[in-house]
């Protein structure tokens, strides 16, 4: 009897959360999902259950450019973010007065609002008045001022650099904390076993922080996929779609061109991609959790 | 070969000196135990020998070659850590093979050495397990295996048994000793447990506050402690001490109880500390009077806490005795078992001259 009452009470207690998830997560997702399968002409729904949005999307050459840019953005961004973060985190993990100060200071790029970061970098990288291009020119490193955001070949990579500047600090701090929690005696045992500094890092530190490393990789991947303000404010997808990524493309299609169907089709692709990243993460960690539990 | 010589080892952390000039010679194949109370610098000394700490002054020589400046890996010394320090992401075989792998030894060579070590340590069935799947004692053995496969000149152990329960500790103690008898590798072993020191050591180094208090074989330290500290540290239950003074050739306590003959060379009236071990006392019809406070039979022997006018003492006997709390007994010290220490310096006043 009481068992049943307890269970009812438990369901009752989680009801608000379930309702909120249904209303604000499942609802819109469902909406986008159905929208992507609905043919829309001139703002009028013309039939459900068609893949025409997807075929329209993929037959547009811009789509493939967007996919390529998104790959640079997400994969390149994540990889660099984690690699640079690992390097910086390793440096910050060293005990010294300087690193203690730096550990606090490094969070600065991370606490700035997106808009401020984007505007600051946009002007610093500006083709005519940007301080970075001018400095490079006046010191003779480049022949003429480079327009980092105006050059279709450079723009995507420039965005990735700014992205790393912004996202890497937290990654570095998380990895720094993980590295510092590696037991000293393991490092010392490795020293006794004859491991060089690099071998200690590779064979002792990295395996010890593997859990944090995968977590931080997936989290950065999700952050970066969701990042919109930075590329939108800095380039708006230009020049000529050269820096158009999924997030900006979806925004442009839906709110500038009102192509709801195509935009939602793109959103569904985005969602599937994110879901597979999370799935991969869960799969990787399922293994380590399982083995943690087994005795 | 693996003889170790320490010359005037000093180690400071900032302005604080924790080792104040340690001199120690360890012969090849010897099992040396560093023992002393917590914080006396045992681990620091051991880690200095390993090369994990740089010493501020002095010289460490291995087989005559000075190794102070060498990196740990260049010293050919292996260390077993208190918390085992196994690599959690490697199985037992990989843990043991790690140093050989780093040394780029051929694969079949590594396999052979790991298998041999596993054989010695009874780890053969566990080679595929991960450290978290092992019991404390098994982890301890893996840590030892990791040291053995390298076939080093010297083994260092830093309180390797302190995380094990009492029974396992006794068993591992015997295993380590057996291992040493088999491999005959010079071993330096740190513990703060004097029983471990007594049972395992060829040579005990008693340390105190960054100094060496006394060096000797277990029985030497037991029979002829050089100071009150060593006398109190070695042996369990600890030696009894009573303040006394030499009066007419005997040692007499403040309350005029005679404890025994004063050693030769103790001037009349000099104040000393008389020491005697609980197991060197005998019940007698006359002698030191003491009141029984607590009787603790443990089966094989009985331990009595006694109160004398000059202080509390402990008495152990293997006889079945029928005294209870409140009774008064008389005790005598076995001839020749009375120790005498200077009251001020706490150093032993040797009885050699007296020809006991
Ligand atoms: N990194 C350090 N910085 C400053 N002082 C230290 C450091 N390591 C050890 N000490 C000091 O050196 C002294 C000796 O320490 P050590 O670890 O050698 O003691 P120990 O004899 O091994 O004690 P225990 O039996 O508790 O392990 C202690 O007083 C300790 O406070
Ligand atoms: Mg210690």
């Amino acid at each position: 009897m009481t068992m049943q009452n307890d269970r009812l009470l438990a369901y009752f207690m989680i009801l608000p959360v379930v309702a909120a998830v249904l209303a604000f997560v499942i609802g819109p997702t469902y909406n986008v999902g159905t929208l992507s399968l609905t043919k829309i002409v001139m703002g009028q729904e013309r039939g459900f259950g068609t893949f025409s949005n997807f075929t329209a999307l993929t037959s547009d050459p811009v789509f493939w450019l967007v996919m390529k840019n998104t790959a640079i953005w997400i994969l390149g961004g994540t990889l660099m973010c984690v690699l640079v973060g690992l390097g910086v985190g390793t440096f910050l993990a060293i005990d010294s007065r300087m690193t203690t100060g730096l550990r606090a200071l490094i969070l600065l790029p991370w606490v700035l609002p997106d808009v401020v970061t984007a505007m600051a970098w946009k002007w610093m990288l500006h083709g005519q008045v940007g301080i970075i291009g001018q400095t490079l020119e006046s010191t003779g490193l480049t022949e003429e001022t480079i327009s980092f955001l105006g050059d279709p070949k450079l723009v995507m990579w420039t965005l990735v650099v700014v992205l790393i500047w912004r996202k890497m600090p937290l990654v570095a701090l998380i990895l720094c904390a993980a590295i510092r929690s590696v037991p000293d005696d393991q490092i010392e045992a490795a020293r006794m076993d004859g491991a060089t500094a690099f071998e200690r890092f590779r064979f002792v530190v990295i395996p010890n922080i593997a859990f944090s490393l995968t977590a931080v990789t997936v989290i950065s991947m999700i952050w970066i996929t969701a990042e919109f303000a930075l590329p939108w404010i800095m380039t708006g997808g230009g020049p000529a779609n050269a820096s158009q990524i999924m997030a900006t493309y979806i925004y442009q299609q839906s709110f500038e061109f009102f192509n709801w169907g195509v935009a939602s089709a793109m959103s569904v692709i985005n969602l599937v991609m994110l879901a597979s990243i999370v799935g991969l993460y869960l799969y990787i960690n399922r293994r380590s959790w399982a083995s943690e539990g087994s005795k | 070969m693996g003889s170790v010589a320490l010359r005037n080892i000093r180690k400071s952390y900032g302005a604080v000196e924790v080792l104040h000039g340690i001199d120690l010679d360890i012969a090849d194949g010897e099992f040396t135990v560093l023992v002393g109370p917590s914080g006396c610098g045992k681990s620091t000394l051991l880690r200095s020998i390993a090369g994990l700490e740089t010493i501020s002054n002095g010289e460490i020589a291995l087989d005559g070659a000075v190794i102070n400046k060498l990196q740990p890996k260049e010293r050919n010394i292996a260390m077993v850590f208190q918390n085992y320090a196994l690599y959690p992401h490697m199985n037992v075989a990989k843990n043991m093979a790690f140093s050989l792998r780093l040394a780029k030894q051929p694969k079949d060579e590594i396999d052979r050495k790991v298998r041999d070590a596993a054989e010695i340590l009874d780890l053969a069935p566990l080679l595929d397990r991960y450290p978290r799947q092992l019991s404390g004692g098994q982890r301890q053995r893996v840590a030892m295996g990791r040291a053995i496969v390298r076939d080093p000149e010297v083994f260092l152990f830093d309180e390797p048994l302190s995380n094990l329960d009492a029974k396992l500790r006794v068993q591992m103690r015997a295993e380590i000793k057996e291992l040493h008898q088999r491999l005959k590798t010079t071993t330096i072993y740190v513990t703060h447990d004097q029983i471990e020191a007594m049972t395992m050591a060829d040579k005990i180094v008693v340390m105190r506050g960054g100094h060496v208090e006394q060096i000797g074989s277990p029985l030497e330290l037991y029979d002829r402690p050089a100071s009150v500290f060593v006398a109190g540290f070695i042996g369990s239950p600890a030696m009894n001490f009573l303040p006394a003074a030499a009066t007419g050739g005997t040692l007499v306590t403040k309350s005029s109880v005679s404890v025994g003959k004063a050693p030769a060379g103790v001037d009349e009236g000099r104040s000393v500390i008389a020491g005697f071990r609980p197991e060197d006392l005998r019940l007698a019809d006359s002698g030191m009077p003491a009141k029984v406070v607590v009787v603790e039979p443990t089966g094989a022997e009985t331990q009595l806490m006694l109160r004398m006018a000059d202080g509390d003492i402990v008495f152990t006997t293997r006889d079945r005795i029928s005294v209870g709390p409140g009774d008064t007994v008389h005790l005598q010290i076995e001839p020749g078992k009375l120790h005498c220490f200077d009251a001020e310096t706490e150093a032993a006043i040797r009885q050699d001259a007296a020809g006991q």
Side-chain angles (χ1 to χ4, degrees):
Chain A
M1 281 305 268
T2 46
M3 268 280 267
Q4 197 136 26
N5 282 341
D6 280 355
R7 186 171 295 176
L8 279 178
L9 183 66
Y11 283 135
F12 181 73
M13 302 280 259
I14 61 169
L15 193 65
V17 180
V18 173
V21 167
L22 281 177
F24 297 112
V25 179
I26 309 287
T29 310
Y30 174 77
N31 206 292
V32 168
T34 50
L35 202 54
S36 72
L37 298 174
T38 308
K39 191 176 169 72
I40 299 173
V41 179
M42 309 285 286
Q44 300 287 311
E45 294 194 12
R46 292 285 156 82
F48 177 75
T50 148
F51 282 97
S52 63
N53 287 324
F54 289 91
T55 47
L57 184 64
T58 51
S59 58
D60 185 351
V62 174
F63 172 79
W64 297 107
L65 182 60
V66 168
M67 289 311 269
K68 190 188 118 208
N69 289 342
T70 308
I72 294 176
W73 178 248
I74 295 178
L75 297 181
T78 306
L79 196 70
M80 303 278 283
C81 214
V82 172
L83 285 183
V84 176
L86 185 61
V88 174
T90 308
F91 170 71
L92 289 181
I94 299 168
D95 253 320
S96 88
R97 204 161 292 158
M98 178 175 62
T99 52
T100 323
L102 276 180
R103 261 176 243 156
L105 209 60
I106 194 179
L107 268 187
L108 197 63
W110 198 76
V111 296
L112 286 178
D114 253 344
V115 184
V116 175
T117 311
M119 287 312 283
W121 278 100
K122 186 174 179 172
W123 287 114
M124 286 199 295
L125 293 165
H126 193 276
Q128 276 103 50
V129 298
I131 185 157
I132 294 174
Q134 281 179 356
T135 312
L136 285 178
E137 192 196 6
S138 61
T139 53
L141 283 173
T142 55
E143 296 271 302
E144 51 195 51
T145 18
I146 299 175
S147 177
F148 290 98
L149 297 176
D151 184 338
K153 285 205 202 66
L154 279 181
V155 63
M156 214 47 231
W157 294 105
T158 311
L159 282 184
V160 167
V161 169
V162 177
L163 179 74
I164 288 160
W165 182 85
R166 179 156 173 71
K167 300 287 184 194
M168 177 277 290
L170 194 68
V171 173
L173 270 196
I174 292 173
L175 292 179
C176 168
I179 290 170
R180 287 175 64 82
S181 69
V182 176
D184 280 340
D185 56 5
Q186 267 186 57
I187 306 282
E188 288 179 343
R191 274 180 76 189
M192 295 302 295
D193 275 344
T196 60
F198 174 76
E199 285 165 336
R200 291 199 292 275
F201 185 74
R202 168 68 191 80
F203 297 117
V204 181
V205 174
I206 292 287
N208 266 291
I209 65 167
F211 199 85
S212 306
L213 208 55
T214 48
V216 113
T217 306
V218 171
I219 290 170
S220 341
M221 219 178 222
I222 292 169
W223 278 342
I224 292 172
T225 311
E227 181 63 61
F228 166 73
L230 209 59
W232 183 251
I233 293 171
M234 284 178 69
T235 67
N241 288 329
S243 67
Q244 199 74 267
I245 57 172
M246 272 197 194
T248 56
Y249 188 71
I250 292 169
Y251 182 85
Q252 200 180 43
Q253 287 297 321
S254 44
F255 300 114
E256 287 191 349
F257 305 152
F258 301 105
N259 269 333
W260 301 106
V262 169
S264 53
M266 192 67 154
S267 299
V268 168
I269 294 175
N270 196 352
L271 180 72
V272 168
M273 219 175 60
L274 270 182
S276 29
I277 296 168
V278 175
L280 188 70
Y281 170 68
L282 288 179
Y283 176 75
I284 292 169
N285 280 349
R286 179 197 60 104
R287 276 202 349 231
S288 53
W289 283 331
S291 52
E292 207 69 57
S294 73
K295 211 24 186 131
Chain B
M1 283 297 283
S3 68
V4 178
L6 307 182
R7 297 274 164 266
N8 190 31
I9 304 294
R10 288 172 186 277
K11 168 74 189 173
S12 308
Y13 289 109
V16 189
E17 193 174 73
V18 297
L19 295 178
H20 313 286
I22 306 274
D23 286 288
L24 179 61
D25 276 296
I26 297 165
D28 179 41
E30 210 167 31
F31 197 114
T32 303
V33 174
L34 304 180
V35 68
S38 189
C40 70
K42 308 177 296 284
S43 299
T44 307
L45 183 60
L46 197 74
R47 292 165 53 81
S48 302
I49 298 171
L52 295 171
E53 305 274 358
T54 50
I55 52 175
S56 320
N57 213 326
E59 202 175 275
I60 303 169
L62 179 60
D63 289 332
V66 177
I67 57 169
N68 303 8
K69 296 268 154 51
L70 297 185
Q71 285 293 313
K73 59 181 231 165
E74 298 162 326
R75 298 192 181 195
N76 203 8
I77 290 176
M79 182 154 168
V80 176
F81 292 81
Q82 177 171 357
N83 299 318
Y84 322 128
L86 301 179
Y87 311 118
H89 50 281
M90 300 182 196
N91 63 21
V92 170
K94 293 231 173 74
N95 258 287
M96 296 210 288
F98 188 56
S99 60
L100 306 176
R101 232 176 80 209
L102 292 176
K104 308 243 163 19
Q105 296 205 3
K107 179 115 187 21
D108 44 345
E109 184 93 337
I110 295 178
D111 284 347
R112 189 180 54 75
K113 285 183 179 168
V114 168
R115 240 179 301 119
D116 287 354
E119 207 61 54
I120 294 176
L121 292 165
D122 266 339
L123 287 170
L126 305 176
L127 283 176
D128 292 328
R129 297 253 195 114
Y130 284 87
R132 63 174 173 273
Q133 300 166 321
L134 299 176
S135 72
Q138 290 166 335
R139 285 179 207 189
Q140 184 59 59
R141 282 209 290 270
V142 177
M144 279 160 44
R146 200 164 60 174
I148 292 174
V149 290
R150 288 177 49 196
D151 189 22
E153 306 269 13
V154 181
F155 284 134
L156 306 178
F157 291 84
D158 192 355
E159 305 203 22
L161 307 185
S162 56
N163 287 351
L164 304 178
D165 66 52
K167 201 167 159 201
L168 197 53
R169 205 176 306 170
V170 173
Q171 183 193 331
M172 289 302 296
R173 202 161 78 193
E175 277 183 33
I176 293 178
K177 195 163 179 188
E178 193 192 333
L179 187 70
H180 176 254
Q181 280 159 3
R182 179 166 177 171
L183 301 175
K184 300 201 170 51
T185 307
T186 310
T187 303
I188 307 176
Y189 185 104
V190 164
T191 178
H192 56 237
D193 179 354
Q194 59 92 22
I195 304 247
E196 248 171 58
M198 292 294 282
T199 50
M200 300 174 84
D202 294 323
K203 175 150 87 191
I204 297 181
V205 180
V206 182
M207 290 179 65
R208 180 196 195 184
H211 291 282
V212 169
E213 191 84 5
Q214 187 175 5
I215 301 175
S217 73
L219 293 182
E220 250 167 62
L221 296 192
Y222 180 84
D223 290 336
R224 298 157 55 78
S227 65
V228 170
F229 178 78
V230 176
F233 197 83
I234 302 289
S236 168
M239 187 185 276
N240 298 300
F241 298 107
L242 292 175
T247 314
T250 54
L251 296 182
V252 178
T253 66
K254 278 207 197 71
S255 56
S256 310
V257 176
S258 162
V259 288
K261 215 167 89 200
V266 179
D267 301 334
E268 181 75 12
R270 178 173 172 187
S271 41
V272 296
I273 296 169
F276 44 92
R277 297 198 179 276
E279 55 272 31
D280 291 338
L281 286 169
R282 293 290 170 267
L283 284 178
D285 298 329
S286 64
M288 303 186 291
K291 211 165 104 191
V292 178
V293 182
V294 179
V295 180
E296 294 178 332
T298 59
E301 63 177 26
T302 306
Q303 181 170 327
L304 285 83
M305 308 257 294
L306 307 169
R307 187 150 298 152
M308 289 180 63
D310 301 283
D312 289 356
I313 60 169
V314 176
F315 160 51
T316 58
T317 178
R318 300 187 70 87
D319 299 333
R320 297 289 161 98
I321 54 170
S322 54
V323 294
D327 296 352
T328 298
V329 294
H330 291 270
L331 298 161
Q332 278 184 350
I333 300 163
E334 290 266 297
K337 299 291 188 178
L338 178 62
H339 301 264
C340 187
F341 305 93
D342 187 274
E344 221 136 86
T345 62
E346 300 201 337
I349 301 168
R350 287 285 177 219
Q351 306 209 332
D352 307 339
Q356 44 176 304

